Amino acid sequence: MLNENIKAIRKSKGLSQQELAVKLNVVRQTISKWEQGLSVPDSDMLISLSEALETPVSTLLGETVIASEIDDLKAISAKLEVINLQLAQRKTTWKRILHWLLIALCVVIAAIFAILLALESPYLRWDYGDPETAVLGVGLHSLEWLFVRAAPIILIGAMIGIFLTRKKE
């Protein structure tokens, strides 16, 4: 167990046997013997080993750490992959919804223009001597004027948005 833990922790820290040996002022063969289970470090060397690997002595002496570290990394990777897939799907869904909303906006603007053209502004023939008719006529004229001025800009923006949100194959 100790030998497996030394090897696993050394590798997880990205150290070679030689680099660890230099940190501990021993020869590389000593590290190799510890990792093969042919010998064990004394108590002072175990403390130095713990400090060099930045790992508690209890971890070095405990159960094997290889499986748990690899399993933890796999589990984290799997969770991150699922989260990335969910985010990508959410982005695609919102992009599709926005695309169809922009198309609907273009259709609504075109329909309103058609209706305005067909009606030919009937309020222009009203009798504006009556105050109620005058207020309603001015209100309708203001809305039509605002729509005729703003709708082309909105329509162009919606068309650009449709182009940008189209599905690329």
Side-chain angles (χ1 to χ4, degrees):
M1 286 205 249
L2 175 63
N3 59 332
E4 294 169 359
N5 289 343
I6 292 172
K7 186 174 184 178
I9 294 169
R10 175 184 59 79
K11 285 185 174 184
S12 73
K13 300 288 183 180
L15 294 172
S16 67
Q17 287 182 345
Q18 182 64 38
E19 291 169 331
L20 182 57
V22 169
K23 283 186 172 189
L24 297 172
N25 293 322
V26 297
V27 293
R28 186 198 58 77
Q29 288 80 1
T30 303
I31 304 296
S32 178
K33 286 180 182 178
W34 291 344
E35 290 181 358
Q36 292 175 12
L38 301 175
S39 68
V40 293
D42 63 14
S43 59
D44 290 334
M45 188 54 71
L46 193 59
I47 292 170
S48 298
L49 183 62
S50 160
E51 291 170 356
L53 293 175
E54 299 171 348
T55 305
V57 174
S58 60
T59 302
L60 289 172
L61 296 173
E63 295 294 317
T64 56
V65 293
I66 297 171
S68 65
E69 285 184 8
I70 292 173
D71 289 344
D72 288 347
L73 288 175
K74 285 182 181 177
I76 290 170
S77 295
K79 288 178 183 178
L80 287 175
E81 188 174 339
V82 168
I83 290 170
N84 283 336
L85 281 172
Q86 289 173 344
L87 289 174
Q89 287 173 342
R90 186 176 298 156
K91 182 179 178 182
T92 303
T93 301
W94 279 110
K95 190 175 178 181
R96 193 177 311 126
I97 290 171
L98 178 62
H99 181 78
W100 286 106
L101 284 174
L102 291 171
I103 289 173
L105 179 63
C106 289
V107 169
V108 167
I109 288 174
I112 293 173
F113 263 120
I115 291 169
L116 288 176
L117 283 174
L119 292 178
E120 297 178 356
S121 304
Y123 58 83
L124 294 178
R125 294 184 289 276
W126 290 354
D127 175 24
Y128 282 92
D130 181 19
E132 292 173 5
T133 306
V135 170
L136 185 60
V138 169
L140 287 174
H141 183 69
S142 299
L143 287 176
E144 183 178 342
W145 182 87
L146 183 63
F147 177 79
V148 168
R149 299 305 184 275
I153 296 168
I154 295 170
L155 189 63
I156 290 169
M159 288 179 168
I160 291 171
I162 290 169
F163 178 75
L164 293 175
T165 59
R166 75 188 186 286
K167 186 176 182 179
K168 296 175 179 97
E169 295 178 26

